Amino acid sequence: MSKQIKVSSNIILLKVLGFSLALILVFTLVANMLPQVEGEAPVEKEVDLGALTMDSFVALGESTFSGKGTCTLCHNNMGRAPDILALKMVEVSESRLQDESYQGKSTDAESYLRESMIDPGIYVVRGFGKKGSNDTISPMPAVNKAPIQLTDVEIDAVIAYMQAKDGNEVTVPLPTEAPVMEVALAGSLPAPAATAEEALGRYACAACHTILGTESPVGPSLTDVGKRLDINEIRQSIIDPNAVAAEGFAIGIMPADFADRMMVRELEMMVQFLANQKG
Amino acid sequence: MKNLSLNLSLNLSLGRQLLLALGLLILLPGNVDPDNGFTLLNSASAAEADSVIGVASMAEAELVPAPKPGRGDYPSVGVSSRSVVWVVAQMHMFFAAFVLAVPLFVLVIEWIGVKTGDDRYDDMAHEFMKISMTAYSITALFGGALAFALFLLYPQFMEYMMRVFGSQTLVYAGLFFAESVCLYVYYYSWGALRYGNRKWLHLTIGLMLNAVGLTLLVIANAWSTFMMAPSGVNEAGAVTGSIWEIMKGPLWNPINLHRFLANIAFGGAIVGAYAAYKFLSARTQEMRAHYDWMGYTANFIAILAFLPLPFAGYWLMAEIYAYSQQMGITAMGGILAWLFIVQAVLIGTILLAGNYYLWSGMSRTEGSIRYTWMVKYIAIVLVAGFLVWVTPHTLILSASEMAELGGSHHHLLGPLGIMPAKNIAVNLMLIFTFMSFQIYRRADKVATVSWEKAGNALMVSIYLVAIANVIFAGVYYGYFTNTVYKVGSSVMQVVSTLMVIVSGIVIDGFMYKGAKILPSVWGRVSNRAQYALFALPVAFTWLMALMGYVRSSVRTHWHVYTVMKDNSPDNYIPTIGHAGNMMTIVTVLFLLCVLFIFWIASLANTKQPPPAPVTSKPS
Amino acid sequence: MNLSNPVVVWVGALLLTLLFFYGMDHFIMLIQGLPLNFDLTPAQ
């Protein structure tokens, strides 16, 4: 005997929908009540090499360490990798070099730190190797390759930071050269600067000379150099700055190797531009 | 002419490779090994192998790196491109999972129908297939929309992917013809191929349908896993390997297994919701009984497929860590870690709903009173386990909060936040869920074998020792040894849980042969229990969206990890709230689509009665 | 062994299971390259 059961489909549909939406709301609320953090993608920043001081270089290292370098993902107190922030890295580096299992090519703390970053597999600190590899394989990626891809300047900055944070002397020199351009697969040379302003920026003239809106007392102002020097004298000041000193300024301060570093096109653009700077 | 024959043999061996890939799915190790890739090629004819290598090296003569689009190179349609692709891709994947899963368990149910001779199984299998027919075309619609969205909004990325995967994409498209043929023939020939040898033909068609479906799954999986862990390309993204090396990255098989199992669980859950809905709107006791049975079967499928999922997920995570520790830690120890707390909420919901349904279902039979006393304790373990699982480790605190707390972690609850505690909780929850399963299955039976007491003693011992082992491994290796042993001990816990499940199935299988069956009444279950069958697919859907988001965002600012950077305006990781809102949007959309599908399925059965004949009134 | 004595049956089942899980623990840790001592402490 089939009993007829009273039922209303619409009510059921509403109940089912209501229940489902309420449950979905619970999940949505959970997601929205948790701490909301956005993950910024790393942005390519132009490092103003001219304005770099040792302090700002070390600070760059510190921000790279916890930022683009993503070092703190593993180098913390959870035991996955040496806790760099807690260790005195120069002393630790020197003791690692003494380890009989060390097979790398470094001789001092700075080179050891650089080697650890570019070729982490060459020496694995005991207890930190990949599981089951008996400390022969390092789980650390090479930081100058993808996905981290730190530039040489950034790597040097991080090393400087690791030295400076414990009060040790920073042996890494400040970068003065323009960073090496990303070399295309075909192995082509970096393109010359497109404009005089770009060339002035590339060779960090504004670090010492007042020009293009920035001021600096280190060298003579260039805003009126076209009035003071003729075009050949301007060229000579760049190629051979120690030949003639500007009035009130000493020789031996301006870098003397621009002739080796600049391209002819860049030099000529700058010379033309400066010759037109008549204040 | 020579080129033509080369192309033909490329496609042929590719197809053969794909079918071999299907067969060897689980057996091959998940590590990329160029030599192993060529081993498979050599199993085809040498001439074909040579031609494949020949074609490959022709293309490799010119190594073209991955493109490097700048921010301005990305087209914009005025709304966030990521959001568009997110919604369309997730909808496609929901439906694809469903239409792949249903034929899998339909085939099994149909086969059980053949074995038992019980028509109910065959009818239920047929009814399940009817539901998935409409879903199939919606899958294709979203797939087409996804392709358009991707080519429109990420042209450089798609150019690269097309270059990497080459003619395999055409194979993928071609397989849909095979899928459609198999699907339509399988469904529409149900009545015509009903008995005897014809039935075996029908089952074979069903098997072919599943084989094609699985091949489609593993091909599409290769695209996702390539984006996470590229293989067969050099550091700049230029193609250096064969299509097999490109497909068989370190994450391919873990994703294959995980998605295979998850699809079945997901499909079962949705079909269960269908049954629950029909149960609630049933107008006769027969209908109630029919849909109660269907709902139980669907829940059985869903929970059975769900139980091994954490292990497949663990394997996937382990392979991610092995491939790139950085990627692994970003997922579980870095910015994405909170997602796994949300995951805990969802899986807790699933387990509680599944268990509650089983407990409610025990009312169908009188024999259940022997076991109902256990339900209270199972519930306590489940809730406690859920609470432990949901406890976070690192709290993002302000300076004053940190001072109050005395550190960045709570001194009591902090230890509950790390993996050892969570592994204990999860494994115990799975063991006790299986216990619910087992007592439900036993509720309507009385064993008649002579060794019943010994068998029960063994079963109880296995439970006790497994539980003790899970706790011991978690506490000792988790808190008192180093990281490496801690991670290794989780395998110990997982195997203990698997031991309980396997031995439970085996022991009960033998012990209840020829058992006395107590009367049970299908349909005698509360309406309230049906809501558990709605909670299950809702939670599964949201969970799928969550895990899909994890898979996608673990690449951070890369289209293809380490090879092609993402420079689009959306290349940052959004807040978890935004991600949750997107998940809610797709879940609600999917819910509406599923209601549409159910409605279509019942519409097909609706017949309007013809109008009453007009009788002329004598004036 | 008196198999009709429930105590024997239960103790036997428990001991058998303990032995099995003990061996399984050793095996699982060993194949991962993480050997254990007899008291299940790490050997490395």
PDB file of all heavy atoms in Angstrom, chain A residues 61-83:
ATOM      1  N   GLY A  61      70.461  45.202   1.981  1.00  0.00           N
ATOM      2  CA  GLY A  61      70.655  43.775   2.241  1.00  0.00           C
ATOM      3  C   GLY A  61      69.595  43.230   3.175  1.00  0.00           C
ATOM      4  O   GLY A  61      69.059  42.148   2.982  1.00  0.00           O
ATOM      5  N   GLU A  62      69.288  44.018   4.210  1.00  0.00           N
ATOM      6  CA  GLU A  62      68.299  43.561   5.194  1.00  0.00           C
ATOM      7  C   GLU A  62      66.920  43.420   4.550  1.00  0.00           C
ATOM      8  O   GLU A  62      66.211  42.444   4.776  1.00  0.00           O
ATOM      9  CB  GLU A  62      68.248  44.547   6.363  1.00  0.00           C
ATOM     10  CG  GLU A  62      67.360  44.031   7.502  1.00  0.00           C
ATOM     11  CD  GLU A  62      67.395  44.951   8.709  1.00  0.00           C
ATOM     12  OE1 GLU A  62      68.036  46.031   8.609  1.00  0.00           O
ATOM     13  OE2 GLU A  62      66.802  44.597   9.730  1.00  0.00           O
ATOM     14  N   SER A  63      66.545  44.427   3.729  1.00  0.00           N
ATOM     15  CA  SER A  63      65.212  44.358   3.129  1.00  0.00           C
ATOM     16  C   SER A  63      65.147  43.255   2.074  1.00  0.00           C
ATOM     17  O   SER A  63      64.114  42.626   1.884  1.00  0.00           O
ATOM     18  CB  SER A  63      64.822  45.706   2.528  1.00  0.00           C
ATOM     19  OG  SER A  63      65.613  45.972   1.396  1.00  0.00           O
ATOM     20  N   THR A  64      66.283  43.002   1.401  1.00  0.00           N
ATOM     21  CA  THR A  64      66.320  41.899   0.433  1.00  0.00           C
ATOM     22  C   THR A  64      66.187  40.558   1.139  1.00  0.00           C
ATOM     23  O   THR A  64      65.513  39.644   0.664  1.00  0.00           O
ATOM     24  CB  THR A  64      67.633  41.935  -0.373  1.00  0.00           C
ATOM     25  OG1 THR A  64      67.760  43.214  -0.980  1.00  0.00           O
ATOM     26  CG2 THR A  64      67.649  40.854  -1.439  1.00  0.00           C
ATOM     27  N   PHE A  65      66.841  40.466   2.310  1.00  0.00           N
ATOM     28  CA  PHE A  65      66.825  39.220   3.084  1.00  0.00           C
ATOM     29  C   PHE A  65      65.396  38.793   3.408  1.00  0.00           C
ATOM     30  O   PHE A  65      65.033  37.631   3.279  1.00  0.00           O
ATOM     31  CB  PHE A  65      67.638  39.420   4.368  1.00  0.00           C
ATOM     32  CG  PHE A  65      67.826  38.173   5.180  1.00  0.00           C
ATOM     33  CD1 PHE A  65      68.840  37.275   4.857  1.00  0.00           C
ATOM     34  CD2 PHE A  65      67.014  37.891   6.266  1.00  0.00           C
ATOM     35  CE1 PHE A  65      69.022  36.115   5.601  1.00  0.00           C
ATOM     36  CE2 PHE A  65      67.191  36.742   7.020  1.00  0.00           C
ATOM     37  CZ  PHE A  65      68.201  35.844   6.689  1.00  0.00           C
ATOM     38  N   SER A  66      64.577  39.745   3.837  1.00  0.00           N
ATOM     39  CA  SER A  66      63.208  39.367   4.201  1.00  0.00           C
ATOM     40  C   SER A  66      62.220  39.630   3.075  1.00  0.00           C
ATOM     41  O   SER A  66      61.065  39.242   3.153  1.00  0.00           O
ATOM     42  CB  SER A  66      62.760  40.120   5.456  1.00  0.00           C
ATOM     43  OG  SER A  66      63.068  41.479   5.331  1.00  0.00           O
ATOM     44  N   GLY A  67      62.685  40.278   2.002  1.00  0.00           N
ATOM     45  CA  GLY A  67      61.774  40.592   0.896  1.00  0.00           C
ATOM     46  C   GLY A  67      62.016  39.693  -0.286  1.00  0.00           C
ATOM     47  O   GLY A  67      61.689  38.505  -0.271  1.00  0.00           O
ATOM     48  N   LYS A  68      62.631  40.253  -1.298  1.00  0.00           N
ATOM     49  CA  LYS A  68      62.784  39.537  -2.569  1.00  0.00           C
ATOM     50  C   LYS A  68      63.551  38.228  -2.400  1.00  0.00           C
ATOM     51  O   LYS A  68      63.299  37.255  -3.083  1.00  0.00           O
ATOM     52  CB  LYS A  68      63.501  40.455  -3.573  1.00  0.00           C
ATOM     53  CG  LYS A  68      63.668  39.837  -4.953  1.00  0.00           C
ATOM     54  CD  LYS A  68      64.340  40.807  -5.918  1.00  0.00           C
ATOM     55  CE  LYS A  68      64.726  40.047  -7.198  1.00  0.00           C
ATOM     56  NZ  LYS A  68      65.597  40.834  -8.066  1.00  0.00           N
ATOM     57  N   GLY A  69      64.531  38.227  -1.469  1.00  0.00           N
ATOM     58  CA  GLY A  69      65.327  37.009  -1.301  1.00  0.00           C
ATOM     59  C   GLY A  69      64.562  35.856  -0.699  1.00  0.00           C
ATOM     60  O   GLY A  69      64.958  34.706  -0.833  1.00  0.00           O
ATOM     61  N   THR A  70      63.435  36.149  -0.041  1.00  0.00           N
ATOM     62  CA  THR A  70      62.596  35.153   0.651  1.00  0.00           C
ATOM     63  C   THR A  70      63.404  34.254   1.579  1.00  0.00           C
ATOM     64  O   THR A  70      63.052  33.104   1.818  1.00  0.00           O
ATOM     65  CB  THR A  70      61.799  34.271  -0.342  1.00  0.00           C
ATOM     66  OG1 THR A  70      62.680  33.430  -1.075  1.00  0.00           O
ATOM     67  CG2 THR A  70      60.974  35.117  -1.260  1.00  0.00           C
ATOM     68  N   CYS A  71      64.510  34.788   2.150  1.00  0.00           N
ATOM     69  CA  CYS A  71      65.385  33.958   2.967  1.00  0.00           C
ATOM     70  C   CYS A  71      64.683  33.485   4.234  1.00  0.00           C
ATOM     71  O   CYS A  71      64.882  32.349   4.687  1.00  0.00           O
ATOM     72  CB  CYS A  71      66.645  34.720   3.345  1.00  0.00           C
ATOM     73  SG  CYS A  71      67.351  35.654   1.968  1.00  0.00           S
ATOM     74  N   THR A  72      63.843  34.371   4.797  1.00  0.00           N
ATOM     75  CA  THR A  72      63.243  34.045   6.091  1.00  0.00           C
ATOM     76  C   THR A  72      62.235  32.909   6.010  1.00  0.00           C
ATOM     77  O   THR A  72      61.803  32.405   7.040  1.00  0.00           O
ATOM     78  CB  THR A  72      62.526  35.280   6.694  1.00  0.00           C
ATOM     79  OG1 THR A  72      61.679  35.839   5.681  1.00  0.00           O
ATOM     80  CG2 THR A  72      63.517  36.312   7.155  1.00  0.00           C
ATOM     81  N   LEU A  73      61.874  32.486   4.808  1.00  0.00           N
ATOM     82  CA  LEU A  73      60.990  31.320   4.682  1.00  0.00           C
ATOM     83  C   LEU A  73      61.611  30.097   5.356  1.00  0.00           C
ATOM     84  O   LEU A  73      60.918  29.280   5.947  1.00  0.00           O
ATOM     85  CB  LEU A  73      60.757  30.992   3.194  1.00  0.00           C
ATOM     86  CG  LEU A  73      59.516  31.554   2.511  1.00  0.00           C
ATOM     87  CD1 LEU A  73      59.422  31.020   1.096  1.00  0.00           C
ATOM     88  CD2 LEU A  73      58.261  31.178   3.269  1.00  0.00           C
ATOM     89  N   CYS A  74      62.923  29.943   5.202  1.00  0.00           N
ATOM     90  CA  CYS A  74      63.599  28.774   5.761  1.00  0.00           C
ATOM     91  C   CYS A  74      64.620  29.140   6.846  1.00  0.00           C
ATOM     92  O   CYS A  74      64.816  28.375   7.794  1.00  0.00           O
ATOM     93  CB  CYS A  74      64.342  27.996   4.684  1.00  0.00           C
ATOM     94  SG  CYS A  74      63.306  27.531   3.292  1.00  0.00           S
ATOM     95  N   HIS A  75      65.260  30.272   6.701  1.00  0.00           N
ATOM     96  CA  HIS A  75      66.286  30.665   7.664  1.00  0.00           C
ATOM     97  C   HIS A  75      65.635  31.389   8.826  1.00  0.00           C
ATOM     98  O   HIS A  75      65.579  32.615   8.879  1.00  0.00           O
ATOM     99  CB  HIS A  75      67.347  31.546   6.989  1.00  0.00           C
ATOM    100  CG  HIS A  75      68.215  30.792   6.029  1.00  0.00           C
ATOM    101  ND1 HIS A  75      69.255  29.999   6.445  1.00  0.00           N
ATOM    102  CD2 HIS A  75      68.172  30.684   4.680  1.00  0.00           C
ATOM    103  CE1 HIS A  75      69.831  29.434   5.378  1.00  0.00           C
ATOM    104  NE2 HIS A  75      69.185  29.819   4.297  1.00  0.00           N
ATOM    105  N   ASN A  76      65.068  30.567   9.732  1.00  0.00           N
ATOM    106  CA  ASN A  76      64.414  31.102  10.924  1.00  0.00           C
ATOM    107  C   ASN A  76      64.634  30.104  12.043  1.00  0.00           C
ATOM    108  O   ASN A  76      65.473  29.198  11.905  1.00  0.00           O
ATOM    109  CB  ASN A  76      62.909  31.302  10.637  1.00  0.00           C
ATOM    110  CG  ASN A  76      62.283  30.071  10.017  1.00  0.00           C
ATOM    111  OD1 ASN A  76      62.592  28.945  10.414  1.00  0.00           O
ATOM    112  ND2 ASN A  76      61.412  30.262   9.049  1.00  0.00           N
ATOM    113  N   ASN A  77      63.885  30.250  13.135  1.00  0.00           N
ATOM    114  CA  ASN A  77      64.155  29.392  14.288  1.00  0.00           C
ATOM    115  C   ASN A  77      63.337  28.100  14.285  1.00  0.00           C
ATOM    116  O   ASN A  77      63.170  27.461  15.313  1.00  0.00           O
ATOM    117  CB  ASN A  77      63.887  30.164  15.596  1.00  0.00           C
ATOM    118  CG  ASN A  77      62.434  30.612  15.687  1.00  0.00           C
ATOM    119  OD1 ASN A  77      61.639  30.348  14.789  1.00  0.00           O
ATOM    120  ND2 ASN A  77      62.082  31.296  16.758  1.00  0.00           N
ATOM    121  N   MET A  78      62.820  27.707  13.103  1.00  0.00           N
ATOM    122  CA  MET A  78      62.016  26.479  13.070  1.00  0.00           C
ATOM    123  C   MET A  78      62.845  25.230  12.797  1.00  0.00           C
ATOM    124  O   MET A  78      62.329  24.129  12.783  1.00  0.00           O
ATOM    125  CB  MET A  78      60.946  26.597  11.962  1.00  0.00           C
ATOM    126  CG  MET A  78      60.127  27.850  12.069  1.00  0.00           C
ATOM    127  SD  MET A  78      58.680  27.614  13.081  1.00  0.00           S
ATOM    128  CE  MET A  78      57.603  26.857  11.902  1.00  0.00           C
ATOM    129  N   GLY A  79      64.133  25.422  12.532  1.00  0.00           N
ATOM    130  CA  GLY A  79      65.020  24.269  12.406  1.00  0.00           C
ATOM    131  C   GLY A  79      65.204  23.737  10.999  1.00  0.00           C
ATOM    132  O   GLY A  79      65.874  22.733  10.807  1.00  0.00           O
ATOM    133  N   ARG A  80      64.613  24.386  10.006  1.00  0.00           N
ATOM    134  CA  ARG A  80      64.730  23.863   8.646  1.00  0.00           C
ATOM    135  C   ARG A  80      66.051  24.264   8.003  1.00  0.00           C
ATOM    136  O   ARG A  80      66.585  23.567   7.151  1.00  0.00           O
ATOM    137  CB  ARG A  80      63.554  24.382   7.798  1.00  0.00           C
ATOM    138  CG  ARG A  80      63.352  23.621   6.532  1.00  0.00           C
ATOM    139  CD  ARG A  80      62.106  24.103   5.842  1.00  0.00           C
ATOM    140  NE  ARG A  80      60.889  23.590   6.446  1.00  0.00           N
ATOM    141  CZ  ARG A  80      60.371  22.406   6.156  1.00  0.00           C
ATOM    142  NH1 ARG A  80      60.964  21.615   5.302  1.00  0.00           N
ATOM    143  NH2 ARG A  80      59.260  22.011   6.731  1.00  0.00           N
ATOM    144  N   ALA A  81      66.557  25.438   8.377  1.00  0.00           N
ATOM    145  CA  ALA A  81      67.827  25.930   7.824  1.00  0.00           C
ATOM    146  C   ALA A  81      68.506  26.737   8.937  1.00  0.00           C
ATOM    147  O   ALA A  81      67.841  27.151   9.891  1.00  0.00           O
ATOM    148  CB  ALA A  81      67.564  26.815   6.614  1.00  0.00           C
ATOM    149  N   PRO A  82      69.846  26.947   8.840  1.00  0.00           N
ATOM    150  CA  PRO A  82      70.529  27.714   9.897  1.00  0.00           C
ATOM    151  C   PRO A  82      69.843  29.051  10.141  1.00  0.00           C
ATOM    152  O   PRO A  82      69.479  29.768   9.203  1.00  0.00           O
ATOM    153  CB  PRO A  82      71.935  27.912   9.310  1.00  0.00           C
ATOM    154  CG  PRO A  82      72.127  26.770   8.387  1.00  0.00           C
ATOM    155  CD  PRO A  82      70.780  26.444   7.821  1.00  0.00           C
ATOM    156  N   ASP A  83      69.665  29.372  11.410  1.00  0.00           N
ATOM    157  CA  ASP A  83      68.957  30.589  11.791  1.00  0.00           C
ATOM    158  C   ASP A  83      69.895  31.781  11.675  1.00  0.00           C
ATOM    159  O   ASP A  83      70.507  32.218  12.656  1.00  0.00           O
ATOM    160  CB  ASP A  83      68.430  30.438  13.224  1.00  0.00           C
ATOM    161  CG  ASP A  83      67.483  31.558  13.607  1.00  0.00           C
ATOM    162  OD1 ASP A  83      67.275  32.475  12.787  1.00  0.00           O
ATOM    163  OD2 ASP A  83      66.972  31.516  14.743  1.00  0.00           O
TER     164      ASP A  83
END
